[in-house]
Amino acid sequence: VFTAKTEEFRQTVSNILGYTLFFQPTKIRLTSAYNLSAAITFQLNTSSRSSDSSATMKLLGAGNGEDPELDQRLVELIEEWIVKRDSIPCFMAALTLECFERMHGSGGQADGGMGEETMQMTRTVS
């Protein structure tokens, strides 16, 4: 049951956020659904002092060397969003958009409009 729920959680996160998660004892590796070369590894540092229970993330690596252009773009995104603005969520969002646009072109879908699947999702959520 636990294994099935874990897989269900991983699939749900992947569908919503666009990243597949791979958990290791002290690391989390994320791979973009839009570009497998966009792999990011974070180290989880936890602090469990009696008055403060917090976790911080440290970026260990990004890219896998298969796409030099993407690797360079990753360096730029890391500099902008993690180093300058201290925001991992914004970095992840920017990387998702970068990978999506590389996969589908800068106009999104081939027809340039909102697809039927997106329209149905919007109606379902409303």
Side-chain angles (χ1 to χ4, degrees), residues 26-28 30 40-44 57-59 88 92:
T26 60
K27 298 176 189 175
I28 300 172
L30 297 94
I40 302 115
T41 304
F42 291 101
Q43 180 175 8
L44 180 61
M57 304 288 282
K58 178 181 177 185
L59 180 66
I88 291 174
M92 299 300 295

Side-chain angles (χ1 to χ4, degrees), residues 19 28-32 35-43 58-79 82 91-92 95 99:
Y19 288 91
I28 300 172
R29 185 169 51 94
L30 297 94
T31 304
S32 173
N35 187 332
L36 298 179
S37 295
I40 302 115
T41 304
F42 291 101
Q43 180 175 8
K58 178 181 177 185
L59 180 66
L60 294 179
N64 65 8
E66 293 180 10
D67 185 343
E69 186 178 322
L70 178 62
D71 289 347
Q72 177 56 42
R73 185 67 181 129
L74 280 166
V75 169
E76 294 166 3
L77 292 173
I78 289 166
E79 178 65 28
I82 296 177
F91 164 73
M92 299 300 295
L95 180 57
C99 291

Side-chain angles (χ1 to χ4, degrees), residues 1-125:
V1 175
F2 181 73
T3 303
K5 284 294 181 186
T6 301
E7 186 55 36
E8 181 181 342
F9 171 77
R10 288 181 67 225
Q11 190 60 43
T12 300
V13 168
S14 180
N15 289 339
I16 293 172
L17 301 179
Y19 288 91
T20 302
L21 306 176
F22 300 95
F23 294 96
Q24 299 166 344
T26 60
K27 298 176 189 175
I28 300 172
R29 185 169 51 94
L30 297 94
T31 304
S32 173
Y34 301 112
N35 187 332
L36 298 179
S37 295
I40 302 115
T41 304
F42 291 101
Q43 180 175 8
L44 180 61
N45 300 315
T46 58
S47 170
S48 57
R49 293 176 289 192
S50 58
S51 63
D52 178 30
S53 180
S54 62
T56 59
M57 304 288 282
K58 178 181 177 185
L59 180 66
L60 294 179
N64 65 8
E66 293 180 10
D67 185 343
E69 186 178 322
L70 178 62
D71 289 347
Q72 177 56 42
R73 185 67 181 129
L74 280 166
V75 169
E76 294 166 3
L77 292 173
I78 289 166
E79 178 65 28
E80 179 65 29
W81 293 108
I82 296 177
V83 175
K84 288 182 181 175
R85 298 182 184 209
D86 193 28
S87 179
I88 291 174
C90 288
F91 164 73
M92 299 300 295
L95 180 57
T96 298
L97 290 172
E98 179 77 25
C99 291
F100 181 85
E101 289 179 354
R102 285 172 181 263
M103 176 183 258
H104 296 287
S106 61
Q109 294 187 344
D111 65 1
M114 185 180 284
E116 184 177 330
E117 180 179 334
T118 305
M119 297 271 290
Q120 289 175 351
M121 184 176 71
T122 303
R123 282 194 294 264
T124 302
V125 171

